[in-house]
């Protein structure tokens, strides 16, 4: 199919375009099947699995970073509250 080959070249024709395409799929700019289809048709069906693993890895990494920021903030505020409580107890 010539359309899928054109899509493959458009999305993955250079390192820059491949990086942009992968970034767009992670951030919601492109739908997965638009990129996975040409990969599976013209390279290998296994590339669909590799592509899905990439999306899963990046999604989990972003969620892990966001969770880490929230947990670190909560722990820091907890320590600050504990310090204030101890100071107030010592004053009384």
């Amino acid at each position: 199919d010539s359309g899928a080959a054109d899509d493959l070249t458009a999305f993955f024709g250079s390192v820059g375009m491949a990086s942009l395409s992968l970034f767009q799929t992670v951030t919601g700019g492109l739908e997965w099947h638009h990129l996975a289809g040409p990969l599976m048709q013209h390279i290998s069906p296994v590339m669909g699995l590799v592509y899905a693993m990439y999306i899963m890895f990046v999604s989990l990494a972003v969620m892990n970073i966001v969770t880490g920021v929230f947990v670190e903030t909560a722990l820091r505020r907890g320590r600050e509250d504990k310090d204030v409580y101890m100071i107030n107890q010592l004053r009384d």
Side-chain angles (χ1 to χ4, degrees):
D1 179 67
S2 176
D6 292 341
D7 286 344
L8 185 65
T9 303
F11 293 134
F12 300 102
S14 68
V15 173
M17 285 307 299
S19 298
L20 178 63
S21 298
L22 292 173
F23 175 76
Q24 287 177 327
T25 55
V26 170
T27 58
L30 290 173
E31 295 191 24
W32 299 10
H33 65 89
H34 291 303
L35 274 76
L39 286 174
M40 292 188 304
Q41 289 175 3
H42 289 284
I43 297 178
S44 170
V46 175
M47 291 308 292
L49 177 63
V50 171
Y51 182 69
M53 296 293 284
Y54 164 78
I55 297 296
M56 183 180 69
F57 175 77
V58 171
S59 298
L60 289 174
V62 169
M63 286 189 295
N64 191 23
I65 290 168
V66 170
T67 302
V69 168
F70 283 128
V71 168
E72 181 61 30
T73 302
L75 289 173
R76 187 177 60 241
R77 289 197 182 180
R79 274 184 255 133
E80 290 170 0
D81 288 347
K82 183 179 177 183
D83 291 344
V84 169
Y85 176 76
M86 291 298 285
I87 290 170
N88 288 334
Q89 288 298 325
L90 290 173
R91 286 184 185 165
D92 292 341

